[in-house]
């Protein structure tokens, strides 16, 4: 299964579990408070109190499955170009419509004796303070879920757990691979296209990059202008040559979509990249704005090696440590390029280029 599909299905499962929990929590808060049981409530009249938790769980399952599917497979394409406010209004309207349809469906399917008395009870419930309190509760739950999803999108998959557990609250050392991926000839492209169209080009490029990053188990550390910084734990980056496959897969994808880029921007983007690996320090920094940051010689060296791509006319440059890891790999050709000084380094650094066979 492709990593991007697996991620979307995991996201869907989390949303389903969340909404089942929310629906049952509402029943507990609304109908199990301190021994008071509103026996004449519209819901208890229609359903019977004994079945309310089960029916609430079913309501949560329907809402969670539908919203999770929309969040994972529809909203990213449908609402991608909308503003945050418009996006929120669309989501809220769909949520409220879904709640009403799901509740009426459950009541009619499981209590299909559509007597006048029951239909009147359903109508009364939809116009009651009980339904209003349910809508308010679900609205708060929806805002909370949206916040979690947006925060996860901002910091990257898995980082919420690390920040909540305080994994990087104190500096710690890790073995990591870093890739600096940079748009070639960016200054001339920006001058020709103008800043707005150039930014749109970068958006499209990095959107295409996202699926590939997930496919090869990378994390996006940050975007800096026209540059993306990717990272792996060393074992994940070397496994199945993930750190190389990201670059070549991205290059192949841009070539495959060249006609679309040419039609929209009159330019097919080409990226250059560098790779270096070693021990790095990881720590959560900042008070007003916190983020997990990487410090150390590895990231500095990777950045400076990338600056040499144009000079040596190589789309991909790697350090000796990365080259040694792939020497003898039947799928790639490793070639020595130069031994060169780098700013801030006492000794010259050997750099290599790698190409697919």
């Amino acid at each position: 299964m492709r990593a991007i599909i697996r991620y979307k299905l995991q996201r869907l499962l989390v949303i389903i579990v969340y909404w089942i929990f929310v629906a049952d929590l509402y029943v507990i808060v609304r109908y199990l408070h301190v021994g008071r049981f509103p026996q004449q409530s519209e819901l208890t009249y229609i359903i019977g109190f004994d079945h309310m938790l089960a029916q609430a769980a079913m309501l949560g399952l329907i809402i969670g499955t539908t919203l999770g599917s929309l969040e994972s497979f529809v909203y990213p394409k449908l609402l991608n170009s909308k503003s945050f406010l418009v996006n929120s209004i669309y989501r809220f309207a769909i949520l409220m419509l879904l709640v009403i349809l799901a509740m009426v469906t459950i009541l009619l399917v499981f209590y299909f004796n559509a007597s006048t008395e029951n239909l009147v009870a359903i109508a009364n419930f939809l116009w009651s303070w009980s339904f209003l309190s349910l809508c308010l509760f679900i609205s708060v739950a929806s805002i909370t879920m949206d916040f979690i999803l947006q925060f996860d999108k901002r910091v990257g998959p898995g980082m919420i757990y690390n920040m909540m557990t305080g994994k990087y609250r104190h500096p710690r050392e890790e073995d990591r691979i870093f890739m600096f991926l940079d748009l070639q000839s960016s200054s001339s492209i920006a001058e020709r296209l103008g800043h707005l169209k150039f930014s749109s080009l970068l958006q499209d490029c990095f959107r295409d990059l996202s699926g590939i990053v997930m496919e090869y188990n990378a994390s996006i550390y940050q975007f800096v202008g026209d540059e993306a910084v990717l990272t792996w734990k060393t074992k994940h980056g070397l496994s199945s040559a993930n750190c190389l496959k990201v670059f070549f897969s991205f290059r192949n994808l841009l070539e495959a979509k060249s006609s679309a880029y040419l039609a929209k921007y009159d330019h097919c983007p080409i990226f250059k990249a560098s790779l270096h690996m070693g021990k790095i320090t990881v720590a959560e920094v900042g008070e007003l704005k916190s983020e997990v940051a990487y410090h150390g010689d590895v990231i500095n060296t990777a950045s400076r090696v990338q600056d040499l791509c144009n000079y040596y006319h190589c789309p991909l440059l790697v350090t000796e440590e990365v080259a040694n890891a792939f020497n003898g790999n039947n799928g790639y050709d490793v070639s020595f390029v130069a031994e060169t000084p780098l700013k801030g380094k006492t000794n010259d650094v050997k750099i290599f280029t790698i190409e697919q066979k």
Side-chain angles (χ1 to χ4, degrees), residues 11 18-19 37 69 89 96 104 152 172 183-184 210 235 237 245 260 276 281 288 290 298 301 337 343 346 353:
R11 188 182 177 97
Y18 174 82
W19 280 106
F37 303 101
S69 299
I89 292 173
M96 288 298 102
V104 172
D152 180 66
R172 57 188 297 162
L183 178 64
Q184 189 169 303
S210 296
K235 63 179 180 179
K245 288 179 178 177
H276 185 40
T281 302
L288 294 179
S290 296
V298 171
T301 299
V337 174
K343 183 180 178 181
T346 304
T353 188

Side-chain angles (χ1 to χ4, degrees), residues 293-308:
Y294 298 93
H295 307 117
D297 178 67
V298 171
I299 197 167
N300 295 329
T301 299
S303 175
R304 284 160 187 160
V305 169
Q306 192 272 324
D307 291 336
L308 298 173

Side-chain angles (χ1 to χ4, degrees), residues 22-93:
V22 165
D24 277 337
L25 180 63
Y26 173 78
V27 171
I28 293 171
V29 171
R30 177 69 176 82
Y31 294 100
L32 296 183
H33 58 294
V34 199
R36 292 182 58 208
F37 303 101
Q39 297 296 332
Q40 302 306 315
S41 163
E42 298 89 345
L43 277 182
T44 53
Y45 174 76
I46 301 170
I47 299 177
F49 183 78
D50 293 342
H51 299 100
M52 289 186 66
L53 283 174
Q55 299 305 322
M58 184 164 295
L59 175 66
L61 177 62
I62 294 173
I63 294 175
T65 302
T66 306
L67 287 183
S69 299
L70 291 172
E71 287 285 354
S72 298
F73 302 103
V74 178
Y75 285 161
K77 296 180 180 178
L78 183 66
L79 301 179
N80 187 57
S81 60
K82 307 295 183 183
S83 69
F84 178 79
L85 179 60
V86 172
N87 199 320
S88 299
I89 292 173
Y90 272 116
R91 289 166 185 259
F92 182 76

